[in-house]
Amino acid sequence: MADRAALEELVRLQGERVRGLKQQKASAEQIEEEVAKLLKLKAQLGPDESKHKFVLKTPKGTRDYSPRQMAVREKVFDVIIRCFKRHGAEVIDTPVFELKETLTGKYGEDSKLIYDLKDQGGELLSLRYDLTVPFARYLAMNKLTNIKRYHIAKVYRRDNPAMTRGRYREFYQCDFDIAGQFDPMIPDAECLKIMCEILSSLQIGDFLVKVNDRRILDGMFAICGVPDSKFRTICSSVDKLDKVSWEEVKNEMVGEKGLAPEVADRIGDYVQQHGGVSLVEQLLQDPKLSQNKQAMEGLGDLKLLFEYLTLFGVNDKISFDLSLARGLDYYTGVIYEAVLLQTPAQAGDEPSGVGSVAAGGRYDGLVGMFDPRGRKVPCVGLSIGVERIFSIVEQRLEALEEKVRTTETQVLVASAQKKLLEERLKLVSELWDAGIKAELLYKKNPKLLNQLQYCEEAGIPLVAIIGEQELKDGVIKLRSVASREEVDVRREDLVEEIKRRTDQPHCIC
């Protein structure tokens, strides 16, 4: 494909050369010579088969969602949004693309995954990679120093997709962030509490939230002998320990990144440790780490964080893990990542791994990168990996063969006899105007059995049946589809009766 593209470019350039010579009224011999070259190139190119074949598919790393999938997706979003709002967050939105320079230099080695766009009206643009950098730009632009916000939107990564594990090139992120100068670890503890609340509410299985601090990592690298210039790239290697063995990580640090083997070994002694507050206290007494001010500050804050997490009742879900590094360059303090301990599966099946399902941390320096005076706005936040969660919920529903409603229709307006279309239209309009979710079949004289079958297939719980006798009596026959019980309801009381019967609390199917 690359060879063909190069050949097509040569054909285009040679064509321009021939046209240029004709405009300049060059000699016939010269034009003839260049035309012969053009024809030779076109012969090498051959017919473009792609022009005759059209492959009907979504772009690599993207997908369509059916009504059934969207119904589940909306319920997942609803759980997340209700939690964000419960914690007092406001909602914002930002453009799907940013100036390229806004995103440049914020993601470390992951910067290569940013989607760049062509020059548009003199602006170099890129699709947003996450929602955090646009949020920092938003704060700096609007001179905001204090906000608690959530943002749910699509982001883009030029990555190798693994769609069975919820890894896409276009996907949603659900972010919650607290910006402002506050006492240490109170906002950080609330972010971890929110993460635990959401993952528990979604009922996707047992999970563990790994916690670390960038200052502890940097202090550890310093006492182990890592050169300052290699901190970020070694950090990126350490972050792979959840996927590959220590030996593979060490080989990468030594073989690819030029770290001395003895330095890598010293790092290995630390990063393979994990535990709770007792490990924090142990490291506070570490003779080498205690010599590093950064590491001591990080460990002191982590100890305080565990105190608050105990008060919030989620400390049993948290693990201090020295291998957690989070590859993004903008983190400055506490970092965390939630992983599933197992994915629900059918009996006898191997649980399917989907990687982390939520992550976040503190990034106190990012807003200052955009402020002309470098004014810092401390920030901490989290991001829910909703695509991975959605993959798990989808697998669970398929395994259980559960039926999922794709509409929220509360009642179908039906007729028992012919020539009652006008009455059905009047009644359904009354229900719509009263805020009732109602439908009717688009036939003048549908059979009652067909109308009832439609309700069963679509999961509509109630049928409001109009008949000649009901019209005379000023009532509507309200039928429960599940129990098949029928009751006559006065027309003026119908709206309240439908609401009473169908207003149910939200749940994840």
Side-chain angles (χ1 to χ4, degrees):
M1 185 59 76
D3 290 343
R4 181 174 185 85
L7 205 52
E8 284 175 341
E9 179 65 10
L10 288 174
V11 168
R12 186 185 68 79
L13 292 171
Q14 186 63 21
E16 287 179 359
R17 178 167 175 73
V18 169
R19 284 190 292 276
L21 289 170
K22 287 179 178 178
Q23 286 171 0
Q24 295 161 20
K25 297 184 178 176
S27 68
E29 291 82 10
Q30 192 179 359
I31 292 173
E32 190 174 328
E33 184 181 339
E34 295 302 325
V35 167
K37 289 180 183 177
L38 177 61
L39 292 173
K40 190 175 179 182
L41 284 169
K42 284 186 174 180
Q44 287 178 39
L45 193 60
D48 187 357
E49 293 181 8
S50 65
K51 290 182 179 177
H52 307 292
K53 287 184 180 179
F54 179 68
V55 180
L56 206 57
K57 64 185 282 292
T58 59
K60 186 179 179 182
T62 66
R63 65 181 293 193
D64 294 322
Y65 291 91
S66 68
R68 182 181 186 276
Q69 291 167 327
M70 284 303 298
V72 177
R73 195 177 182 82
E74 284 184 344
K75 288 175 181 176
V76 170
F77 279 141
D78 185 53
V79 167
I80 293 168
I81 290 169
R82 281 190 288 121
C83 182
F84 288 165
K85 288 184 174 180
R86 188 163 63 244
H87 286 263
E90 304 170 283
V91 63
I92 69 163
D93 196 12
T94 62
V96 73
F97 45 79
E98 296 275 351
L99 294 177
K100 183 177 179 179
E101 61 187 308
T102 299
L103 305 183
T104 301
K106 311 300 189 300
Y107 302 108
E109 292 186 5
D110 285 347
S111 291
K112 62 182 181 290
L113 304 180
I114 294 172
Y115 265 111
D116 291 331
L117 303 176
K118 284 187 176 179
D119 186 330
Q120 300 290 333
E123 291 185 332
L124 291 174
L125 307 173
S126 299
L127 293 176
R128 61 186 171 205
Y129 178 89
D130 67 3
L131 301 178
T132 307
V133 171
F135 174 54
R137 190 263 308 150
Y138 173 86
L139 291 176
M141 240 180 88
N142 293 283
K143 296 181 171 60
L144 296 174
T145 57
N146 193 312
I147 188 174
K148 188 189 289 186
R149 81 86 164 89
Y150 78 88
H151 188 186
I152 296 177
K154 286 183 176 180
V155 299
Y156 299 85
R157 301 200 178 164
R158 198 164 46 83
D159 204 350
N160 288 321
M163 296 175 67
T164 54
R165 297 192 293 115
R167 190 183 182 104
Y168 303 94
R169 285 181 164 181
E170 176 195 63
F171 57 95
Y172 273 97
Q173 281 191 338
C174 304
D175 280 22
F176 175 100
D177 292 84
I178 301 169
Q181 188 73 53
F182 304 108
D183 287 338
M185 296 297 104
I186 301 173
D188 308 66
E190 184 172 10
C191 285
L192 286 162
K193 170 70 170 171
I194 289 167
M195 193 181 277
C196 292
E197 281 182 15
I198 289 171
L199 295 178
S200 297
S201 298
L202 291 170
Q203 299 174 356
I204 53 173
D206 290 335
F207 61 90
L208 183 71
V209 183
K210 299 176 184 179
V211 175
N212 200 0
D213 193 296
R214 268 291 173 84
R215 292 167 297 176
I216 299 172
L217 279 169
D218 287 352
M220 177 189 70
F221 291 152
I223 65 163
C224 288
V226 179
D228 289 359
S229 61
K230 290 186 183 291
F231 273 21
R232 290 286 78 91
T233 187
I234 296 304
C235 201
S236 176
S237 296
V238 169
D239 200 40
K240 296 174 182 175
L241 271 172
D242 62 331
K243 302 179 186 74
V244 299
S245 68
W246 164 246
E247 285 305 315
E248 289 175 89
V249 169
K250 179 184 173 181
N251 288 340
E252 180 181 297
M253 291 195 296
V254 175
E256 295 178 27
K257 300 185 175 179
L259 200 66
E262 60 274 16
V263 174
D265 287 334
R266 287 197 285 269
I267 292 170
D269 291 338
Y270 284 108
V271 298
Q272 295 180 78
Q273 297 184 62
H274 53 85
V277 71
S278 59
L279 178 58
V280 178
E281 290 168 346
Q282 177 190 320
L283 291 174
L284 279 165
Q285 306 302 317
D286 185 285
K288 291 179 181 176
L289 272 181
S290 59
Q291 302 302 309
N292 186 279
K293 185 183 174 185
Q294 260 194 313
M296 286 297 101
E297 287 175 357
L299 287 164
D301 277 352
L302 271 193
K303 187 177 179 183
L304 185 60
L305 178 66
F306 269 100
E307 288 178 24
Y308 295 153
L309 293 173
T310 301
L311 294 171
F312 280 152
V314 295
N315 61 308
D316 61 321
K317 296 287 188 184
I318 313 296
S319 170
F320 174 30
D321 192 323
L322 280 155
S323 71
L324 179 67
R326 302 286 298 140
L328 300 177
D329 271 7
Y330 52 65
Y331 288 121
T332 56
V334 170
I335 49 177
Y336 34 83
E337 184 172 89
V339 294
L340 292 185
L341 299 180
Q342 63 176 25
T343 302
Q346 289 175 288
D349 285 355
E350 282 291 317
S352 54
V354 293
S356 68
V357 289
R362 177 160 287 280
Y363 51 103
D364 290 347
L366 189 55
V367 178
M369 291 184 182
F370 298 112
D371 191 285
R373 297 181 183 176
R375 287 172 295 199
K376 291 186 177 182
V377 178
C379 296
V380 64
L382 66 102
S383 184
I384 303 294
V386 71
E387 302 293 349
R388 289 176 171 178
I389 288 170
F390 177 64
S391 294
I392 296 163
V393 175
E394 195 176 14
Q395 287 169 20
R396 186 184 72 196
L397 291 173
E398 284 175 5
L400 297 173
E401 296 182 354
E402 280 192 31
K403 189 172 182 180
V404 177
R405 280 199 68 189
T406 57
T407 73
E408 295 183 9
T409 306
Q410 295 165 283
V411 62
L412 181 84
V413 175
S415 55
Q417 291 103 18
K418 293 182 178 181
K419 298 182 180 178
L420 290 174
L421 175 62
E422 288 183 9
E423 294 299 333
R424 282 194 294 139
L425 292 174
K426 280 195 287 186
L427 180 57
V428 80
S429 184
E430 286 174 26
L431 295 177
W432 288 334
D433 291 344
I436 297 293
K437 297 164 185 170
E439 286 188 63
L440 79 166
L441 295 193
Y442 304 133
K443 281 196 168 187
K444 283 187 177 180
N445 299 305
K447 293 179 181 178
L448 182 59
L449 182 61
N450 291 347
Q451 294 170 93
L452 297 176
Q453 282 178 340
Y454 177 76
C455 288
E456 288 188 6
E457 289 166 7
I460 300 170
L462 297 173
V463 191
I465 303 172
I466 302 172
E468 291 170 1
Q469 189 60 48
E470 283 78 14
L471 287 171
K472 288 177 186 175
D473 297 341
V475 297
I476 300 294
K477 195 175 291 296
L478 195 61
R479 177 186 174 104
S480 167
V481 175
S483 67
R484 301 186 180 181
E485 292 176 3
E486 295 180 348
V487 60
D488 287 343
V489 180
R490 290 194 311 168
R491 190 161 182 149
E492 57 268 30
D493 298 333
L494 183 62
V495 168
E496 287 308 312
E497 183 62 19
I498 291 169
K499 285 181 178 178
R500 186 185 70 79
R501 289 176 177 235
T502 58
D503 281 354
Q504 299 295 329
H506 296 279
C507 67
I508 289 288
C509 293

